[in-house]
Amino acid sequence: TKGSGPDIGISASQDNQKLVYLQQQLLGHIWEADLTSNTSKQLTFDDRKIDGLALSPNGKRMAVVMADIDPIKPGRHLFLQDRDGSNRRQLTFGDLGASNPAWSPNGKWISFSLRSATSGLDSSQVFLIDADNPAAPRHMGSGVRTVWVDDARFLARNVRVIPGGRTVYDEVVPIDG
């Protein structure tokens, strides 16, 4: 990777030929690295704080969590865009903060978490959105992060704050049940 870094959120294409990564700064930019030629190019240029990204299984689109750099404007929102940074669409709205987008293995669904900036991790809720026909996100239960098991189920990582610490556990969530 090139730039001032730090570089986080690394996601590789299925053929292991392309790598997208987030160069984390107050102003975040998405870069793409070609692993065969050892070159990289910047894909986004606008003034946004970028908090996370996930490359679709076919490598053509990205789910990106972005916020305005103005601290008075609330919320971190989920966006969907082509890998080259074009055709960006905002998928979430309001004051809540989106985080941890994850694609289903077939690329049909994007799971993500939402929570208030003033609440703890144990208040995080998991939502699901159809990547091809995004409508209102569908609430799936509590959770901070998801990991897809297959095209129809994901694990929702939950955090419960208890006296003297916290407990972390995973729950299998079917998307049609």
Side-chain angles (χ1 to χ4, degrees), residues 6 9 100 119 137 145:
N100 304 316
S119 60
R145 177 180 306 274

Side-chain angles (χ1 to χ4, degrees), residues 79-102:
F79 291 81
L80 182 62
Q81 66 186 42
D82 291 344
R83 190 181 76 220
D84 66 5
S86 65
N87 297 318
R88 184 181 298 161
R89 293 184 293 175
Q90 186 171 343
L91 303 180
T92 62
F93 300 88
D95 295 345
L96 297 177
S99 62
N100 304 316

Side-chain angles (χ1 to χ4, degrees), residues 22 24-28 46-52 64-69 76:
L22 172 61
Q24 184 65 51
Q25 299 171 8
L26 180 57
L27 292 179
D46 52 335
D47 291 343
R48 295 249 185 196
K49 182 178 179 195
I50 303 176
D51 289 328
V64 183
V65 175
M66 291 190 232
D68 196 290
I69 59 170
R76 287 184 325 271

Side-chain angles (χ1 to χ4, degrees), residues 151-174:
D151 292 333
R153 298 174 299 159
F154 59 82
L155 291 175
R157 168 134 304 165
N158 287 283
V159 176
R160 294 284 183 253
V161 177
I162 57 175
R166 63 183 185 175
T167 288
V168 177
Y169 64 95
D170 294 331
E171 176 183 353
V172 175
V173 179

